[in-house]
């Protein structure tokens, strides 16, 4: 992994510099505003500094191809408690009094371990809060060298104590990832390289920041709808029933129209339900957007041509069950019918509350319809965000937006990778 800092007069300029040097796969880890200092500071403009990373040969691994690392091979049903030290077990004799004494000692030790687990977990939230500061320090040139090759302690017993702490911490993080419904295979995949870091006796903060960075890279850089000079950009929203496609279209439209002053038109191909078209028409009226209904794939180009002076044409589709292949074929025909002269993008809208197994089938079925980017809705209805990572890794699709409530237009944001990763690691 390569991590570097880039500065610019705006966030975009700093990100552009990072892309120019590290390539388009670069992932932004952190954005910081640097306020000018000194007496004449008010004459100077603030600068922006981004921390960008790129991982070489990082690839999406599907569960079927994944082989679990032999050393960090945790399993879901493995208890998080630390095993009783071997020495204690050896001491157990057949003599009853000794056995009772030994049992009570083991129980006491277990209780102590449990207490220390909960204490460590409490401390974890604070560590995650301070993660950004730690990352900053870690990336400062003076500290870089030391952190790249953490000090190996000379005395063997000290080293093993630090390693034990590190593994204990790793195990706790593993448990938290599973609690948050990260697939066991992906949790192992994330933690497998971290073992090397733990073996060097690195601090818990360093281990945590390494896991954090690795997860940020796994999520990749989110990509929202990007307008080009070529008008109009045609954007489809596809996905299962009731996930929030129509509501999300209204939120996106408002963001572009009200916040960025762009012109937006709505088309709907959802003619399965009478109320569906009316729902979008209502939003069109509120936002004063052109609106029309497309009944057959053949009509789509005429409908786009009528609003071709708009920056953005958002097309709503009927939700369908991933088990209904016929409706899927209709949507594929509709998307494929769009004239090549138009730039088009497709977003698969999925709810963060959908069961993992169903999400995998949805990802597969919709892959047969078009290449898509992902929008996750209803983040407000779950506190376990593991599926966001699972689906990203399973489908390989890029991320774009998340929505977190029914309010139009406010409850939408660009996928906030830093925030999601912190929550997956046990932060608030
Ligand atoms: N809690 C919550 N509810 C949401 C969110 N987004 C949409 N909804 C609600 O989910 C319900 C369905 O939303 P729609 O936008 O009609 O969903 P759809 O995907 O267009 O549904 P179909 O057209 O029937 O396939 C509505 O009650 C929305 O208010 C969200 O982020 N959080
Ligand atoms: Mg709808």
């Amino acid at each position: 992994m390569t991590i570097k800092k880039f500065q610019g007069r705006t966030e975009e300029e700093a990100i552009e510099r990072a892309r120019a040097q590290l390539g388009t796969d670069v992932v932004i880890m952190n954005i910081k505003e640097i306020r000018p200092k000194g007496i004449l500071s008010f004459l100077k403009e603030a600068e922006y500094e981004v921390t960008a990373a790129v991982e070489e040969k990082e690839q999406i691994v599907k569960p079927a191809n994944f082989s679990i690392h032999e050393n960090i091979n945790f399993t879901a049903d493995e208890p998080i408690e630390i095993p009783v030290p071997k020495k204690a077990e050896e001491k157990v004799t057949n003599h009853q009094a000794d056995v009772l004494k030994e049992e009570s000692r083991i129980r006491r030790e277990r209780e102590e371990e449990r207490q220390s687990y909960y204490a460590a977990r409490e401390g974890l939230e604070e560590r995650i809060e301070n993660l950004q500061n730690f990352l900053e320090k870690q990336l400062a040139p003076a500290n870089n060298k030391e952190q790249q090759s953490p000090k190996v302690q000379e005395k063997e017993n000290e080293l093993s104590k630090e390693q034990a702490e590190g593994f204990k911490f790793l195990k706790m993080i593993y448990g938290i990832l599973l609690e948050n419904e990260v697939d066991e295979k992906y949790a192992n995949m994330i933690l497998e390289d971290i073992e090397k870091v733990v073996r060097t006796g690195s601090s818990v903060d360093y281990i945590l920041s390494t896991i954090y960075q690795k997860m940020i890279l796994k999520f990749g850089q989110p990509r929202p709808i990007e307008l080009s000079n070529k008008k109009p950009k045609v954007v489809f929203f596809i996905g299962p029933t009731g996930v929030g496609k129509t509501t999300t279209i209204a939120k996106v439209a408002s963001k572009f129209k009200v916040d960025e002053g762009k012109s937006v038109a709505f088309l709907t191909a959802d003619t399965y339900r009478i109320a569906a078209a009316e729902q979008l028409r209502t939003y069109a009226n509120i936002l004063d957007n052109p609106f029309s209904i497309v009944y057959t794939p053949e009509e789509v180009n005429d409908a786009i041509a009528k609003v071709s002076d708009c920056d953005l044409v958002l097309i709503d589709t009927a939700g369908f069950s991933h088990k209904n292949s016929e409706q899927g074929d209709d949507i594929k025909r509709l998307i494929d019918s769009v004239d090549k002269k138009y730039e088009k993008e497709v977003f698969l809208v999925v709810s963060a509350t959908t069961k993992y197994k169903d999400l995998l089938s949805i990802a597969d079925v919709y892959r047969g319809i078009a290449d898509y980017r992902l929008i996750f809705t209803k983040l407000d209805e779950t506190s376990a965000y593991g599926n966001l990572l699972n689906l990203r890794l399973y489908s390989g699709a890029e991320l774009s937006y998340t929505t977190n409530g029914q309010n139009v237009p406010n409850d939408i944001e660009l996928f906030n990778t830093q925030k999601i990763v912190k929550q997956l690691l046990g932060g608030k």
Side-chain angles (χ1 to χ4, degrees), residues 4-18 32 34 47-51:
K4 284 191 171 174
K5 290 187 170 189
F6 296 88
Q7 289 175 350
R9 273 165 301 155
T10 60
E11 281 182 32
E12 291 74 24
E13 189 179 291
I15 293 171
E16 216 25 71
R17 286 187 180 153
K32 196 170 85 178
I34 308 169
E47 286 229 328
Y48 290 85
E49 181 178 82
V50 299
T51 306

Side-chain angles (χ1 to χ4, degrees), residues 263-289:
S263 49
V264 184
F266 288 157
L267 302 185
T268 182
D270 187 355
T271 50
Y272 283 84
R273 287 184 304 114
I274 297 167
E278 289 315 306
Q279 189 189 355
L280 194 64
R281 193 197 297 274
T282 306
Y283 286 124
N285 289 342
I286 295 168
L287 289 163
D288 199 18
N289 286 351

Side-chain angles (χ1 to χ4, degrees), residues 244-247 270 273 276 279 316-319:
K245 295 178 293 300
T246 309
T247 315
D270 187 355
R273 287 184 304 114
Q279 189 189 355
D316 198 4
T317 61

Side-chain angles (χ1 to χ4, degrees), residues 31 53 62 125 140 181 225 230 257 262 303 342 378 390 422:
I31 299 177
K62 290 199 172 198
E125 270 179 17
E181 296 178 15
I225 295 170
K230 210 169 149 204
K257 180 146 187 176
K262 304 291 178 193
Y342 299 118
K378 309 197 181 183
N390 297 337
K422 282 179 187 172

Side-chain angles (χ1 to χ4, degrees), residues 71 220 288 315:
N71 291 317
D288 199 18
I315 306 185

